[in-house]
Amino acid sequence: VYSGLNIAGLAVGSASFILLLLWTVNELGTDRSWPDADRTYRVTTDVKLRSGQKKFYALSTSGLAGALKAEYPEVAGSTRILPTGQILLRRGDVSSYENDFVYADADFLNVFPMRLASGDASEALKRPRSLLMTRAMAVKYFGAEDPLGKTVLADNAVEYQVTGVFDPPRGGSHIRANFVANPGQAPFFNHPTWNALGIYTYVRLARNVSAAGLEAKIQDLATKFVGPNGRDLFTYRLQPVTSIRLRSDREAEFSTVVGLSQVRLLAAVAALILAVACVNFINLSTARSGRR
C-alpha cells in the first residue's frame, strides 16, 4: 500500500506536469514555425461608429490585400482568407461535415508557405476551384489513392480539384485549416465595397521594413478607396501573426484566443502539481523511515 501510494502519487503528479508543460510550450509556439513569421502580419480594422464608439475588428475589406500589394513595395506578399463554417464534403461513398475548411486566394502559399507532401506549391492554388488538404483528410476521402487531380463535392453543388496535400505547421497556428480552397470569383469572397468588413487579410513584409512606418502609410488607402471621410471611419493596423493566439483583443476572431494570462496560470498550476507530488513523496518516505 505504501509503495503503491508513493509511486502513484509521484507518477500522476509528474505526468500532469509534463502534459501541462507540453500544452504550454505548444501554445507559446503557435504561428512561430512559419517561414518569415517575424515579417508576417494580419491587417485589422478599427471602426469609428456614428455614435463615436470605436470597434476593433480582426476583419478587413476584400479589396485591401490587392491594394496593399499594388500600392506599397514594402509588401512582399498579401492574401485573403475566409473560414466557411461547417461544410458538407462528399467523394464517392464518403461524406462528412467539415469545420476546418477555409477559402483563400492564389497568393496564400506566398504568405504562409506550407510544406506540401505532394503537389506543386507555385501552382497549387492558382486555378479557381483548386483545393489543398492535409494528409489525414486525403486518407479519409481517398484512402490509399493518390488524390492529386481528383475532385470532391462541396455542399452538393461545387466541385473542387485536389492540387496538393500539405502538412500542418509544427507548433500549430491560429488558422485552423484541414482544407484550403480557391473559390475563384465567387461574390462572397470578392465583395466590391470598401465599407464592408468580412475577410481576413495577411501580409508578408519585405526585409528591413518597419511595420510601424508602413502602418502609418497605409492609412491613405481609406481616403483613396472609401472616400474623403474614410480615414475618420477606418484605421488599419498591422498585428504580428505570432501574437494573435495569445494577445489579440479583436472582435470576430478567426479562432479562439487563449490569452497569455491563461497560459501563465496553467504553467503555474503545472509547477504547483509537481511540487505537491514531490512534497507528498518526501513526507511518505520520511514517515516510513521513521517507522523503520
Side-chain angles (χ1 to χ4, degrees), residues 8-255:
L10 193 59
V12 171
S14 299
S16 301
F17 170 77
I18 291 170
L19 288 173
L20 286 171
L21 184 64
L22 288 173
W23 179 86
T24 300
V25 170
N26 183 71
E27 291 298 328
L28 292 174
T30 300
D31 284 314
R32 295 185 182 276
S33 63
W34 296 115
D36 301 320
D38 58 324
R39 296 190 284 121
T40 305
Y41 293 81
R42 181 174 66 184
V43 187
T44 62
T45 312
D46 299 351
V47 180
K48 186 177 181 181
L49 306 178
R50 292 181 180 179
S51 62
Q53 182 185 6
K54 273 200 169 185
K55 291 284 189 177
F56 305 97
Y57 291 103
L59 297 162
S60 58
T61 64
S62 180
L64 185 59
L68 288 168
K69 183 70 180 295
E71 302 274 341
Y72 302 99
E74 297 96 326
V75 177
S78 62
T79 188
R80 295 167 295 151
I81 302 175
L82 180 66
T84 64
Q86 194 175 74
I87 191 170
L88 174 63
L89 292 184
R90 186 186 304 276
R91 198 263 171 176
D93 296 332
V94 181
S95 63
S96 179
Y97 284 99
E98 303 290 351
N99 292 314
D100 295 331
F101 191 105
V102 303
Y103 295 118
D105 59 27
D107 292 323
F108 175 79
L109 291 177
N110 187 29
V111 178
F112 296 103
M114 290 180 171
R115 293 177 300 160
L116 294 190
S118 59
D120 182 359
S122 63
E123 299 293 330
L125 282 175
K126 295 295 182 184
R127 296 193 304 272
R129 308 285 172 81
S130 53
L131 177 68
L132 304 179
M133 61 173 59
T134 62
R135 289 181 196 246
M137 293 300 105
V139 171
K140 178 179 179 178
Y141 286 95
F142 296 95
E145 296 181 51
D146 181 2
L148 291 185
K150 298 183 172 63
T151 60
V152 294
L153 186 65
D155 285 338
N156 295 319
V158 182
E159 275 196 343
Y160 289 94
Q161 184 179 46
V162 180
T163 54
V165 177
F166 67 89
D167 295 314
R170 289 176 296 176
S173 172
H174 76 284
I175 300 174
R176 306 295 187 186
N178 286 326
F179 303 87
V180 182
N182 182 346
Q185 296 302 313
F188 65 82
F189 193 71
N190 299 278
H191 204 286
T193 179
W194 275 70
N195 291 307
L197 307 180
I199 212 159
Y200 298 94
T201 300
Y202 295 84
V203 296
R204 180 171 56 85
L205 304 187
R207 297 189 183 278
N208 302 318
V209 170
S210 166
L214 179 61
E215 184 178 278
K217 292 173 67 175
I218 65 176
Q219 306 311 323
D220 295 336
L221 293 175
T223 303
K224 182 174 181 179
F225 292 101
V226 179
N229 297 324
R231 200 160 181 168
D232 296 328
L233 299 174
F234 299 106
T235 304
Y236 304 119
R237 306 290 185 190
L238 294 182
Q239 182 181 30
V241 72
T242 54
S243 72
I244 293 174
R245 178 72 171 169
L246 299 179
R247 294 183 175 88
S248 182
D249 58 354
R250 298 269 154 176
E251 295 185 41
E253 271 294 345
F254 193 105
S255 58

